[in-house]
Amino acid sequence: MVGLKDVAERAGVSAKTVSNVVNGYRHVTPATRRRVQQAIDELGYRPNLTARHLRAGRTGIIALALPELGNPYFAELAEEVIAYAAGRDYTVLLDHTHGRRDQEVLFIRGVRAGLIDGLILSPIELENEDLAARGSDAPLVLLGEREYEAPYDHIAIDNVAAARAATRHLLELGRRRIAFLGARHGRTRQPAHLRLRGWREEVSAAGAAAGEDLVATTDGYTRADGARAMARLLDSGAAPDAVFCYNDLVAIGAMRTLGERGLRVPEDVAVVGFDDIEDGRYCAATLTTIAPHKQAIAREAVDALLARLRPGPAATPESSVSPVSPEPPRHIRPGFALIPRESTLGRP
Amino acid sequence: MVGLKDVAERAGVSAKTVSNVVNGYRHVTPATRRRVQQAIDELGYRPNLTARHLRAGRTGIIALALPELGNPYFAELAEEVIAYAAGRDYTVLLDHTHGRRDQEVLFIRGVRAGLIDGLILSPIELENEDLAARGSDAPLVLLGEREYEAPYDHIAIDNVAAARAATRHLLELGRRRIAFLGARHGRTRQPAHLRLRGWREEVSAAGAAAGEDLVATTDGYTRADGARAMARLLDSGAAPDAVFCYNDLVAIGAMRTLGERGLRVPEDVAVVGFDDIEDGRYCAATLTTIAPHKQAIAREAVDALLARLRPGPAATPESSVSPVSPEPPRHIRPGFALIPRESTLGRP
């Protein structure tokens, strides 16, 4: 194996200089950088981080699949995963599934298995049977609200508790007709299952309105879905004095509709979202929301995945991914916080 | 090389069924899928798309580096690149640079060169000398407003023309004190260079105010930057009746500040952004903006990159990336459109 010292000798520089070039530090002159790169190319040297992975039978690449990069929550989460993985010498191959079951199945089956050490997936439509029929034994970590009976680590905040906290905040402000925006068709398996349950438990416990007339379904979780659902809810005569939305995008869409109808936020209708995306902090009425601890989610997901990778040096490239470790799957619950802003408290 | 038929024979199914499993189609029973996957694992079969790349000495992976995934413009562009590349049998490894020069340099030098066929970068701070001292010969395509004297294909809309169109729209509405929000410190090399030039050319040609008191600098291009710059501009007494913002995020931040100061959009101050991110369509006043043709940008970038990859079968894995083709670099200009909305036209 060609080492740093071989490159240094060939280029006529110190090992430290080679290291500086490899790590992309700025204070190397272009001429020196060219000389070192030439030596690297001639000798076929692989920088340490890659070499270390290769020695262990790994590629140093993990794949992360999210429903939509256009949803800032997932984009922000992806940034956290990429940053944390980089600190562990891993590169992240990022994919998106559009929340479609066929794309999610394709991802967990790992078509590019030989190039990827492990997978992190935030599923929307994936079913238990898909996980059971998975085939691939590359380590897999699941993120988010969907719950599965499958032997995989799962990272998710306590969605029921978070939804109860959001609903309680509205109840404490005196709201009694709190709608839920963003349920899905079909009851038990919908992704919004836990947040809807949290809303229902909290309004019921408080003796507030909990009727189905206050539950608005959506096709997805975009701003457009929120705008349409809010319009339907208002047209139905349900007359809510508050809405708890599945996520911030739905809430932002709902606030747009409220504005078009001449209803004031929060005076006429208070609004709470979920995700704490940056957009919410710059709305005409800044958005009260549940902030999942994204950094912790990213850290736990990467750590859980790396813990399942083959630790020591491996024999052949063919065995570059280890079978699922016999350790029992873990359910990890990062924290969350309620962030009250103008959409419930009004402008100070 | 193990083929589809070998897998089919081993699993006791048709080649079509194997193909269905490999492509992740749903209408395969879990039992059949398991059997096929077992045969795939036992025989070490690689699906066609990977095998085709490997035969050509390629990995089938291209890398895309963007300044920020948290900026919806880049997230939306990444989705387009991923989708278009997938249609060409390429997987995209997505990275972000925070718009930092050292990260951009690290990316173009291609630490993971052996795993990546080619690179697409949207640079912010990268300099000509960095490209000259690059070392790596993996094909590279550049995106965005920064212009370089370097032999690489460059995909960017005509930023000067787009900025002139945005400014003209405001002039046609009778605005005479149009500010530019989002210039950077230092004149010629700043990323916002071309948009600022377009603004200056258009206001000057119309005989409208073009003074430096109407140009607000920002540290970056986030909502927070826009909010702060708008506050400074108002505090300075520049009294603009319109602002043209470097991008939609800056515009959204500016609109928040205008709202806090009790100024109406567009009655008191009209606002135009740039990027056409979805957020802008759900603001309290929907945002007038320049819409770059993102799909065309993604398509041109991937096509330009793939055109520079070694076309035929290659000899050894070491030569998996081809040297930059001798064809001259191309400057490709996808289209754009001005989208007028409430932030300049008012509510209908």
Side-chain angles (χ1 to χ4, degrees), chain B residues 209-247:
Chain B
E212 287 305 310
D213 60 320
L214 287 168
V215 176
T217 57
T218 55
D219 292 328
Y221 302 125
T222 66
R223 298 175 185 86
D225 290 309
R228 278 192 298 261
M230 191 74 235
R232 264 190 288 110
L233 197 68
L234 294 173
D235 292 341
S236 74
D241 57 15
V243 283
F244 168 45
C245 301
Y246 176 77
N247 71 9

Side-chain angles (χ1 to χ4, degrees), chain B:
Chain B
M1 170 81 63
V2 177
L4 207 67
K5 286 180 183 168
D6 304 303
V7 175
E9 197 173 323
R10 178 86 151 222
V13 299
S14 71
K16 177 70 186 152
T17 300
V18 175
S19 171
N20 286 344
V21 170
V22 164
N23 289 300
Y25 297 134
R26 280 178 173 192
H27 52 82
V28 183
T29 66
T32 302
R33 186 175 289 150
R34 258 195 305 271
R35 203 157 71 235
V36 170
Q37 190 60 45
Q38 195 180 346
I40 286 173
D41 294 342
E42 287 167 8
L43 297 172
Y45 169 71
R46 292 282 189 95
N48 259 337
L49 64 137
T50 304
R52 189 160 66 240
H53 287 304
L54 291 179
R55 276 199 302 276
R58 299 193 287 250
T59 62
I61 296 183
I62 58 180
L64 170 67
L66 301 168
E68 298 290 347
L69 294 174
N71 179 337
Y73 172 73
F74 291 115
E76 292 172 15
L77 183 62
E79 287 200 347
E80 297 289 353
V81 171
I82 289 170
Y84 186 74
R88 307 283 310 264
D89 279 354
Y90 273 83
T91 303
V92 176
L93 196 141
L94 192 52
D95 208 346
H96 64 151
T97 61
H98 297 287
R100 278 170 46 189
R101 186 177 173 188
D102 58 339
Q103 300 268 0
E104 293 173 348
V105 166
L106 197 59
F107 181 78
I108 62 168
R109 293 187 45 254
V111 167
R112 293 194 183 275
L115 290 169
I116 290 163
D117 292 337
L119 310 165
I120 301 172
L121 170 67
S122 179
I124 297 283
E125 297 288 348
L126 194 76
E127 298 293 344
N128 276 314
E129 65 216 62
D130 300 324
L131 283 166
R134 189 183 160 215
S136 166
D137 59 5
L140 169 67
V141 168
L142 300 171
L143 301 182
E145 194 184 3
R146 284 297 298 264
E147 293 182 320
Y148 296 94
E149 291 165 18
Y152 297 104
D153 294 330
H154 187 200
I155 322 287
I157 67 165
D158 185 336
N159 276 279
V160 175
R164 291 194 70 149
T167 308
R168 195 176 316 123
H169 172 65
L170 291 166
L171 288 164
E172 286 169 357
L173 292 169
R175 307 292 165 144
R176 306 303 289 173
R177 292 191 58 75
I178 302 167
F180 181 87
L181 223 64
R184 297 293 276 269
H185 301 285
R187 294 291 289 273
T188 57
R189 291 189 145 172
Q190 57 179 309
H193 180 51
L194 300 176
R195 296 181 194 172
L196 180 58
R197 190 206 299 170
W199 166 82
R200 187 169 281 125
E201 287 178 6
E202 194 68 24
V203 289
S204 301
E212 287 305 310
D213 60 320
L214 287 168
V215 176
T217 57
T218 55
D219 292 328
Y221 302 125
T222 66
R223 298 175 185 86
D225 290 309
R228 278 192 298 261
M230 191 74 235
R232 264 190 288 110
L233 197 68
L234 294 173
D235 292 341
S236 74
D241 57 15
V243 283
F244 168 45
C245 301
Y246 176 77
N247 71 9
D248 285 354
L249 291 184
V250 167
I252 288 167
M255 289 201 292
R256 169 74 198 167
T257 295
L258 290 167
E260 287 174 359
R261 300 293 183 97
L263 292 165
R264 294 162 303 159
V265 176
E267 293 82 352
D268 300 314
V269 182
V271 179
V272 179
F274 203 112
D275 283 350
D276 190 29
I277 61 177
E278 204 191 76
D279 317 35
R281 293 169 223 161
Y282 292 88
C283 295
T286 56
L287 182 61
T288 296
T289 191
I290 295 288
H293 195 326
K294 294 181 197 102
Q295 260 194 320
I297 293 169
R299 188 177 65 235
E300 296 288 358
V302 173
D303 282 346
L305 189 66
L306 298 191
R308 304 245 171 221
L309 299 188
R310 177 189 302 269
T316 60
E318 286 72 31
S319 62
S320 66
V321 287
S322 67
V324 172
S325 143
E327 281 189 36
R330 297 168 61 210
H331 289 258
I332 299 163
R333 300 212 150 170
F336 66 86
L338 172 77
I339 317 234
R341 298 202 188 99
E342 294 169 4
S343 70
T344 54
L345 302 182
R347 198 164 284 190

Side-chain angles (χ1 to χ4, degrees), chain A residues 93-167:
Chain A
L93 197 141
L94 193 51
D95 208 347
H96 64 153
T97 60
H98 297 286
R100 278 171 45 191
R101 185 177 173 186
D102 58 341
Q103 300 269 359
E104 294 173 347
V105 167
L106 198 58
F107 180 79
I108 62 168
R109 293 186 42 253
V111 167
R112 294 193 182 276
L115 290 169
I116 290 163
D117 292 335
L119 310 165
I120 302 173
L121 170 67
S122 180
I124 297 283
E125 297 288 348
L126 194 76
E127 297 293 344
N128 276 313
E129 65 216 60
D130 300 324
L131 282 166
R134 189 183 161 214
S136 166
D137 59 5
L140 169 66
V141 169
L142 299 171
L143 301 182
E145 194 183 5
R146 284 296 298 265
E147 292 182 319
Y148 295 96
E149 291 165 21
Y152 297 104
D153 295 329
H154 187 201
I155 323 286
I157 67 164
D158 185 337
N159 275 279
V160 175
R164 292 195 69 151
T167 309

